[in-house]
Amino acid sequence: MSSEPRLPSWLPTGRTGRFSARSRRKLWREVHFWLGLVAGTTLVVIGLTGSLLVYFKEIDAWLNPQLQIVAAPPAGRAAYRPISEIVAAARAAIPTGAQLGFTYYPRNEETAFWFFYSMGKGSQSGGSDTLNVFVNPYTAQVTGTRVWYSVESPFKNCLMGFIFKLHYALLLGTSGNTLVGILCVFFIISSLTGLILWWPITGKWRQAFLFKKHASSERLNHDLHKLSGFYSLVVLLAVLVSGVYFNLGPQFRWLVELFAPVTHRPDIVGKQQAHGTTISIDRVEEVVHQRFPDGQWFAFSLPPQTSAMPGNRPLPYMVAQLVPGAWGFVGRREIIVDQYSGEILHVGDPFRGRGGDVFIQWQWPLHSGYALGMPGRILVLIAGMVCAVLYVTGIIRWLQKRRASRLAERRRCALPIPASEARS
């Protein structure tokens, strides 16, 4: 008896019965094909919506100038009202029971503060609407409010809110969020199998990087599929891996923790202080600026006015800054500040700290393209459009192969070939 292990019957083998290089390549081609065929349509939706969301702030300001665009005085940002006045104006504009949370700083001197707040409506799903209020930084006056996410229907969201839900959950709620995370894993596998199929086993490396001159339409389609996938691979993998992080956060962190410890932000709380007075957001900005004067203000989140955590543990402030690094990289630093003492409880810095925390901290800059500034955002925008190119050229390639297979079968069986297929 042979001591060589038997291969499963479904694996392709060469003439010798061994799992040859050609057979392995055939297997990877099958995996690549079926992943693309089954999940490709959703990849197109996720990719194209992701391209739009790279510039969602700019697009939203263009669509809603009455909400976001403000007149800047000659002094520019130096003329901003105190941040506490701006927050107070936002609080005064929201309904009773609503809770201010995440806030974007103005991205330039002509845009408003962009607040997000939640408003429970007692829906059957147990969720709550997410709404926006915009505040002029120079006058501390509200420029408008709107619905961002509606728990009743995604079609009641504003346009950018609708595109966000379509992008990360396919409008399917919590289950859609999980589904997209799983699909991202499949797309990662598909991208890696595509790299295996691109690899020039004949050693003709120069041809692997270029389109073939004077090629037929079939070869042109093949080269477009192969090269668009290859040249966008690094960006696509960065976006897909970070997509898994955003949609399957607990599972992603568990995997990272197998290699390096990770700080869990929900576990970071301030010290319990009976009858303590919360410090103002102005004081928080002072503390952060004294410690990190190099950062560009990007966002902040406010602790709830009534803590909903077990034991009424005090939740902290969070301030996010964009920070430049070596070789032109841009990261997002997150600073957690105690709401009573003003003590900095944690710093999530993409350029320093524990390996696991640094890796997690890079996921947002990579996913959004901010990691390389404007060039990085353009690359992510193109990568999203490449998803559609890969799907369309992949389907065309499949149809071409199926037609060629039918022709070969007819010739083998000496059957007449339809004129339309013979011409093609």
Side-chain angles (χ1 to χ4, degrees):
M1 291 181 63
S2 172
S3 61
E4 186 173 326
R6 289 181 175 271
L7 295 172
S9 59
W10 51 267
L11 284 176
T13 58
R15 291 182 179 179
T16 63
R18 299 176 185 275
F19 196 35
S20 65
R22 186 180 297 274
S23 299
R24 290 195 298 270
R25 194 173 182 86
K26 183 178 179 181
L27 172 62
W28 292 128
R29 186 178 292 111
E30 290 293 314
V31 172
H32 185 74
F33 163 70
W34 283 110
L35 285 175
L37 187 65
V38 172
T41 304
T42 56
L43 177 62
V44 173
V45 173
I46 295 168
L48 292 180
T49 53
S51 292
L52 287 172
L53 293 175
V54 170
Y55 293 98
F56 82 94
K57 290 183 181 179
E58 291 84 349
I59 295 172
D60 196 74
W62 175 66
L63 293 174
N64 304 282
Q66 74 284 1
L67 294 176
Q68 296 211 41
I69 305 301
V70 298
R77 295 179 187 270
Y80 277 10
R81 301 300 304 163
I83 188 70
S84 57
E85 284 188 30
I86 294 168
V87 170
R91 288 196 191 280
I94 64 176
T96 302
Q99 183 64 58
L100 281 178
F102 188 81
T103 305
Y104 285 117
Y105 282 90
R107 58 185 176 83
N108 56 42
E109 294 182 353
E110 288 79 34
T111 50
F113 275 84
W114 185 347
F115 290 83
F116 290 77
Y117 67 95
S118 59
M119 184 65 193
K121 297 181 65 175
S123 65
Q124 292 181 350
S125 64
S128 61
D129 288 338
T130 300
L131 302 96
N132 295 142
V133 56
F134 299 88
V135 180
N136 186 321
Y138 305 107
T139 64
Q141 293 180 340
V142 172
T143 58
T145 61
R146 67 160 180 208
V147 175
W148 177 252
Y149 292 145
S150 170
V151 293
E152 295 179 7
S153 169
F155 296 99
K156 293 186 177 181
N157 299 347
C158 68
L159 178 59
M160 285 297 109
F162 176 85
I163 293 174
F164 261 103
K165 287 287 188 182
L166 182 60
H167 176 69
Y168 74 78
L170 300 174
L171 306 181
L172 298 176
T174 304
S175 58
N177 190 73
T178 303
L179 173 62
V180 170
I182 295 172
L183 287 173
C184 283
V185 176
F186 288 159
F187 298 148
I188 291 170
I189 297 171
S190 179
S191 298
L192 294 176
T193 55
L195 178 62
I196 294 172
L197 296 174
W198 166 87
W199 198 270
I201 57 176
T202 59
K204 298 179 180 180
W205 286 95
R206 186 174 182 277
Q207 295 181 10
F209 293 98
L210 302 171
F211 283 91
K212 184 178 181 180
K213 292 182 179 180
H214 313 297
S216 65
S217 59
E218 287 83 0
R219 178 55 187 263
L220 181 62
N221 179 79
H222 173 264
D223 286 351
L224 181 59
H225 183 83
K226 177 184 68 174
L227 294 177
S228 60
F230 172 76
Y231 284 115
S232 63
L233 180 64
V234 173
V235 179
L236 277 176
L237 286 177
V239 172
L240 289 170
V241 169
S242 53
V244 176
Y245 163 71
F246 285 114
N247 284 57
L248 299 175
Q251 295 84 356
F252 190 94
R253 287 186 176 87
W254 172 83
L255 184 61
V256 174
E257 284 184 319
L258 295 179
F259 304 93
V262 175
T263 301
H264 292 258
R265 270 191 51 192
D267 295 336
I268 303 172
V269 295
K271 300 174 182 177
Q272 185 70 44
Q273 294 195 16
H275 311 295
T277 301
T278 301
I279 64 172
S280 69
I281 184 65
D282 298 294
R283 178 56 184 157
V284 172
E285 278 196 344
E286 290 176 7
V287 169
V288 171
H289 181 69
Q290 288 172 2
R291 176 83 174 271
F292 303 106
D294 61 326
Q296 174 188 340
W297 302 113
F298 182 75
F300 65 87
S301 61
L302 301 166
Q305 292 175 297
T306 302
S307 179
M309 294 190 69
N312 199 36
R313 292 183 294 166
L315 294 174
Y317 286 96
M318 186 282 293
V319 177
Q321 297 178 319
L322 298 181
V323 289
W327 303 299
F329 281 97
V330 178
R332 186 174 70 169
R333 176 192 292 141
E334 294 183 348
I335 306 103
I336 311 299
V337 182
D338 184 86
Q339 66 164 305
Y340 293 109
S341 66
E343 176 189 354
I344 293 179
L345 303 173
H346 174 73
V347 178
D349 195 311
F351 297 106
R352 60 181 62 88
R354 298 189 302 180
D357 287 338
V358 169
F359 182 71
I360 292 294
Q361 208 60 38
W362 272 111
Q363 298 312 305
W364 179 86
L366 290 172
H367 198 76
S368 63
Y370 273 80
L372 289 175
M374 187 57 70
R377 296 174 72 190
I378 293 173
L379 286 174
V380 172
L381 172 107
I382 294 172
M385 295 188 290
V386 164
C387 294
V389 174
L390 290 173
Y391 180 67
V392 172
T393 54
I395 291 295
I396 293 173
R397 181 69 175 159
W398 171 61
L399 292 174
Q400 290 170 346
K401 283 181 169 292
R402 192 174 69 165
R403 184 169 60 242
S405 179
R406 285 203 306 263
L407 288 172
E409 182 66 19
R410 285 181 177 278
R411 289 191 177 99
R412 188 179 68 82
C413 299
L415 295 174
I417 299 174
S420 60
E421 292 192 7
R423 286 194 298 269
S424 62

